[in-house]
Amino acid sequence: MPATRLANTALWAAYGPEYRRLVGVRDLRATQERVLRRILARNRDSEFGREHGFGRLRSPRDYAAAVPLSVWDDYADAVARVAAG
């Protein structure tokens, strides 16, 4: 399985149920912000979360300012460390 598909599968396994509950949501913006806050809180103590200050981020704007756009290669070393145990 290609690495990007594996990553997407892992993300869906972790957060898919939460997104499936969003069907029929009337205030999508507020719901997305609430989901983002939960994801940030859940991951604030991860290596990536600590590096990007997830503990202090409160909004999509905060997130966009703290987490630059990236490509798969930006995560290759971290994925290799996880794969190695």
Side-chain angles (χ1 to χ4, degrees):
M1 179 178 298
T4 53
R5 184 161 181 208
L6 181 62
N8 289 339
T9 301
L11 286 170
W12 184 251
Y15 299 109
E18 194 160 6
Y19 283 105
R20 284 193 292 273
R21 285 192 297 272
L22 299 179
V23 175
V25 169
R26 291 182 187 213
D27 188 349
L28 187 57
R29 178 179 296 214
T31 301
Q32 287 177 327
E33 288 179 3
R34 188 170 51 253
V35 170
L36 176 62
R37 284 191 301 273
R38 285 186 200 143
I39 292 170
L40 293 172
R42 198 179 296 162
N43 292 284
R44 70 176 168 240
D45 295 325
S46 69
E47 178 182 335
F48 190 84
R50 288 189 308 271
E51 288 176 2
H52 294 88
F54 281 11
R56 63 176 167 69
L57 304 180
R58 298 289 176 253
S59 70
R61 185 175 298 225
D62 291 345
Y63 180 83
V67 181
L69 294 177
S70 57
V71 296
W72 173 252
D73 289 342
D74 296 327
Y75 305 100
D77 290 340
V79 170
R81 286 195 310 274
V82 170

